[in-house]
Coordinates of all heavy atoms in Angstrom, one line a residue:
V51 N 125.1 114.0 126.1 CA 124.0 114.1 125.2 C 123.4 115.5 125.2 O 123.0 116.1 124.2 CB 122.9 113.1 125.7 CG1 121.6 113.3 125.0 CG2 123.4 111.7 125.5
M62 N 110.8 122.8 115.9 CA 110.0 121.6 115.8 C 108.5 122.0 115.6 O 107.8 121.3 114.9 CB 110.2 120.7 117.1 CG 111.5 120.2 117.4 SD 112.5 119.6 116.0 CE 111.6 118.3 115.3
A63 N 108.1 123.0 116.3 CA 106.7 123.4 116.2 C 106.4 123.9 114.8 O 105.3 123.6 114.3 CB 106.4 124.5 117.3
Y108 N 81.8 83.9 95.0 CA 81.1 82.6 94.9 C 80.8 82.0 96.3 O 80.6 80.9 96.5 CB 81.7 81.6 94.0 CG 81.9 82.2 92.6 CD1 83.1 82.8 92.3 CD2 80.8 82.3 91.8 CE1 83.2 83.5 91.1 CE2 80.9 83.0 90.5 CZ 82.1 83.6 90.2 OH 82.2 84.2 89.0
T129 N 102.5 88.1 106.5 CA 103.7 87.9 107.3 C 104.0 86.4 107.6 O 105.1 86.0 107.6 CB 103.5 88.6 108.7 OG1 103.0 89.9 108.4 CG2 104.9 88.9 109.4
F198 N 94.0 83.0 100.6 CA 95.1 83.5 99.9 C 94.8 85.0 99.7 O 93.9 85.4 98.9 CB 95.2 82.8 98.5 CG 96.4 83.3 97.6 CD1 97.7 82.9 97.9 CD2 96.2 84.1 96.6 CE1 98.7 83.3 97.1 CE2 97.2 84.5 95.8 CZ 98.5 84.1 96.1
Y200 N 95.5 88.0 98.5 CA 96.0 88.9 97.4 C 94.9 88.8 96.4 O 94.1 87.9 96.3 CB 97.3 88.3 96.9 CG 98.3 88.0 98.0 CD1 98.3 86.8 98.6 CD2 99.1 89.0 98.4 CE1 99.1 86.5 99.7 CE2 100.0 88.8 99.5 CZ 100.0 87.5 100.1 OH 100.8 87.3 101.2
V229 N 96.1 80.1 91.3 CA 96.9 79.8 92.5 C 96.3 78.5 93.2 O 97.1 77.8 93.9 CB 96.9 80.9 93.6 CG1 97.6 82.1 93.0 CG2 95.5 81.3 94.0
L237 N 100.2 70.1 97.1 CA 99.6 69.1 98.0 C 99.9 67.7 97.5 O 100.2 66.8 98.3 CB 98.1 69.3 98.1 CG 97.6 70.6 98.7 CD1 96.1 70.6 98.8 CD2 98.2 70.8 100.1
A279 N 88.3 95.3 102.2 CA 87.0 95.1 102.8 C 86.2 94.1 102.0 O 86.5 93.9 100.8 CB 86.3 96.5 102.8
A303 N 79.1 87.2 98.5 CA 80.1 88.1 99.1 C 81.0 88.7 98.0 O 81.4 88.0 97.1 CB 80.9 87.3 100.1
I304 N 81.3 90.0 98.2 CA 82.2 90.7 97.3 C 83.5 91.0 98.1 O 83.4 91.6 99.1 CB 81.6 92.0 96.8 CG1 80.3 91.7 95.9 CG2 82.6 92.8 96.0 CD1 80.6 91.1 94.6
D329 N 105.7 105.0 97.1 CA 105.1 104.4 96.0 C 106.2 104.2 94.9 O 106.3 103.0 94.4 CB 104.0 105.3 95.4 CG 103.3 104.7 94.2 OD1 103.2 103.4 94.2 OD2 103.0 105.4 93.3
L360 N 114.2 115.6 107.8 CA 114.6 116.5 108.9 C 116.1 116.3 109.2 O 116.8 117.2 109.5 CB 113.8 116.3 110.2 CG 112.3 116.6 110.0 CD1 111.6 116.3 111.3 CD2 112.1 118.1 109.7
Q370 N 125.0 113.2 115.1 CA 124.9 111.8 115.5 C 124.9 110.9 114.2 O 124.6 111.4 113.1 CB 123.5 111.6 116.2 CG 123.4 112.4 117.5 CD 122.2 111.9 118.3 OE1 122.2 110.7 118.7 NE2 121.3 112.7 118.6
Y373 N 122.9 106.3 110.4 CA 122.8 105.3 109.4 C 121.7 104.2 109.6 O 121.1 103.8 108.7 CB 124.2 104.5 109.2 CG 124.5 103.5 110.3 CD1 124.3 102.2 110.0 CD2 124.9 103.9 111.5 CE1 124.6 101.2 111.0 CE2 125.2 102.9 112.5 CZ 125.0 101.6 112.2 OH 125.3 100.7 113.2
S387 N 102.7 102.8 117.3 CA 101.8 102.4 118.4 C 102.4 102.7 119.7 O 101.8 103.3 120.6 CB 101.4 100.9 118.3 OG 101.0 100.5 117.1
H406 N 117.7 102.4 121.5 CA 117.9 101.0 121.4 C 118.0 100.5 119.9 O 118.9 99.7 119.6 CB 116.8 100.2 122.1 CG 116.9 98.7 122.1 ND1 117.8 98.1 122.9 CD2 116.3 97.8 121.4 CE1 117.8 96.8 122.7 NE2 116.9 96.6 121.7
L423 N 103.8 113.4 115.3 CA 103.9 113.0 114.0 C 103.3 111.6 113.8 O 102.5 111.4 112.8 CB 105.4 112.9 113.5 CG 105.7 112.6 112.1 CD1 105.1 113.5 111.1 CD2 107.3 112.6 111.9
V427 N 100.1 110.6 111.3 CA 100.1 109.5 110.3 C 99.1 108.4 110.7 O 98.3 108.0 109.8 CB 101.5 108.8 110.3 CG1 101.6 107.6 109.4 CG2 102.6 109.9 109.8
C437 N 86.6 106.5 105.3 CA 86.0 106.8 104.0 C 85.6 105.6 103.2 O 84.6 105.5 102.6 CB 87.1 107.6 103.2 SG 87.5 109.2 103.8
L449 N 73.0 103.2 106.4 CA 73.2 104.3 107.4 C 72.1 104.4 108.5 O 72.4 104.4 109.7 CB 73.5 105.6 106.8 CG 73.8 106.8 107.7 CD1 75.1 106.4 108.4 CD2 74.0 108.1 106.9
K483 N 74.5 110.4 112.6 CA 74.1 109.1 112.1 C 75.3 108.2 111.9 O 75.1 107.0 111.9 CB 73.3 109.2 110.8 CG 71.9 109.5 111.0 CD 71.2 109.3 109.6 CE 69.7 109.7 109.8 NZ 69.0 109.8 108.5
H491 N 86.0 94.1 117.0 CA 87.0 93.1 116.7 C 86.4 91.8 116.1 O 85.5 91.2 116.7 CB 87.8 92.8 117.9 CG 88.8 91.7 117.7 ND1 89.9 91.8 116.8 CD2 88.9 90.4 118.2 CE1 90.5 90.7 116.8 NE2 90.0 89.8 117.6
I498 N 88.9 80.2 111.0 CA 87.4 79.8 111.2 C 86.6 80.2 110.0 O 85.9 79.4 109.4 CB 86.8 80.6 112.4 CG1 87.7 80.5 113.7 CG2 85.4 80.1 112.7 CD1 88.0 79.1 114.2
G499 N 86.8 81.4 109.5 CA 86.1 81.9 108.3 C 86.3 81.0 107.1 O 85.3 80.6 106.4

Side-chain angles (χ1 to χ4, degrees):
V51 171
M62 298 318 299
Y108 304 96
T129 318
F198 183 75
Y200 309 88
V229 294
L237 294 184
I304 295 291
D329 183 37
L360 296 176
Q370 298 193 59
Y373 77 101
S387 309
H406 183 77
L423 182 57
V427 174
C437 292
L449 186 59
K483 277 193 183 169
H491 173 65
I498 312 300

